[in-house]
Amino acid sequence: MLGDLRPGDRVLVTKIDRAARNVRDLLDLVEHIEEAGASIVSIEQNIDTSGPIGKFILVVLAAIAELEPNITGERRRESLVAFANEGRHAVGAAPFGFKSVDNPNGRGLVIRPDWDAPGRGEQSPAAILRDAIRRVMGGEPQARVVEDLPIKEAGFSVLLRNARLAGMTPSGDGVVNSHGVPQVDPEAALLTMAEWSELRDYMKRPEKRSWSRQEGYGPALTCSECGFRLYRSNGGPSRPNNNGYKCGRAKHERGTPAASVQVSAADSYIEQTFLDLYGDRSVVAGRWSDSTSTKAEAITRAEVDLEAVQAALLDDLEDEEEERVFQSLRRAKKALKSAHELPADRTYVIDETGKTVSEMRVESTSAERCRLLVAIGRWMVYPGRLPIEQKIVFELDVALNELLTHRVGRQEPRTIDDAGQFLHPT
């Protein structure tokens, strides 16, 4: 249209702000139209640039039109800051595991963990997210954990770094704070401050190379010649019968034979031997229990506060604000010292599981089974073509066996044949 303008043409627009987004663009447009001998007319505002008054009004209205969205944007940004400072939910959907609810302390909405299960017997989104975080902290790859979640891997990775998990409100590149100290709402927290600090430190670690754990009892087997563990050697699809546990010979003298055994034969024999010894015994679980978690929670909270105050000191502050930050620093250091002085009593608690060793073993992983096999003694593998009961010899660690199978409260000497309870440390 602008290329086809002729002298005397009139360019019609509904409103000035539909012709240009700011005053500079509008003036350039008017200049172009006038150079072609045409004029611009705003229908709703009744402006015609063919006269000087029309040009003046056009510029004034254009400036007002440009000012209006700028003011609106500024008010919106101020509102978002105010919402964040009040802990209110302003825009966007709540992260997975959380939901928006009416603010119990005033207007608007706030974010809270979603503990409402969708149906009977189903886990709530908050419980699912907690379990997912624990799996990640346990070393499970995020790509595998996210398979059980209704979000994508990239979103899950961002969520693991979201301060809302600990009840803090994200703001810009940090969190909402008061005089350099983060504001924490315990009702909005899915994790304690200690758990959040542990998760944050874990997420700072470099990503490990993806690998898969080999199943089987290889880590529990020891070479009779050098005393080192055996490793699994796969024969591949073309040689399925060549799968075996083998010693690497790295510690062997020249000419010394190395131990090896077929995987299927070794696993079956070890499993049967272990279950014959312990399979029918009832399992009790031992765990350390803190009489109070107040000390750990207080230390973590004080460390987080101190870290935030120290970061605030690096900013360019006015004298009055700097003095308030220094006061916050003194309070944070005093709180950290007081937290370390809190008493913490630990007791070892033994719980009945109601399961036998055989039942518990079905639920355990290959790695957990191997750790238990190593705990009760040595499984020595001898070189040569021998019957399986001579090739794999179990050497019981009497002291550890006594600890693992001692009945609670019982003090008299025991033997491996004396049926008792089996202690499973957790």
Side-chain angles (χ1 to χ4, degrees), residues 171-321:
S171 178
D173 295 331
V175 297
V176 175
N177 61 78
S178 176
H179 303 303
V181 178
Q183 295 181 6
V184 180
D185 183 358
E187 295 183 1
L190 185 68
L191 305 177
T192 64
M193 291 298 295
E195 292 171 332
W196 166 249
S197 179
E198 184 180 358
L199 175 62
R200 187 178 59 172
D201 292 341
Y202 182 85
M203 296 304 294
K204 290 179 181 178
R205 301 174 184 175
E207 187 71 20
K208 294 182 179 180
R209 182 176 62 87
S210 176
W211 60 282
S212 60
R213 185 182 296 277
Q214 290 282 355
E215 298 294 327
Y217 296 142
L221 299 177
T222 304
C223 176
S224 63
E225 304 302 310
C226 66
F228 282 80
R229 60 158 287 185
L230 271 61
Y231 291 86
R232 182 165 182 164
S233 175
N234 293 325
S238 61
R239 304 175 65 187
N241 296 327
N242 199 35
N243 294 339
Y245 298 123
K246 299 181 180 181
C247 177
R249 296 176 180 260
K251 301 296 181 180
H252 287 232
E253 296 181 1
R254 182 180 295 274
T256 303
S260 64
V261 62
Q262 191 176 10
V263 170
S264 58
D267 288 354
S268 299
Y269 178 74
I270 292 172
E271 184 78 11
Q272 189 60 49
T273 301
F274 177 81
L275 293 178
D276 287 345
L277 292 173
Y278 303 108
D280 294 334
R281 300 193 180 191
S282 60
V283 178
V284 292
R287 58 184 174 85
W288 285 104
S289 175
D290 292 326
S291 59
T292 174
S293 60
T294 304
K295 181 174 182 177
E297 185 75 10
I299 290 176
T300 305
R301 175 64 187 274
E303 289 175 344
V304 172
D305 291 349
L306 182 59
E307 180 182 334
V309 174
Q310 290 172 338
L313 286 174
L314 300 178
D315 296 335
D316 187 13
L317 305 174
E318 298 291 339
D319 291 344
E320 184 178 351
E321 182 65 20

Side-chain angles (χ1 to χ4, degrees), residues 129-142:
L129 180 56
R130 271 193 69 92
D131 289 344
I133 293 173
R134 287 170 179 165
R135 290 168 62 185
V136 171
M137 294 289 291
E140 193 168 348
Q142 294 181 35

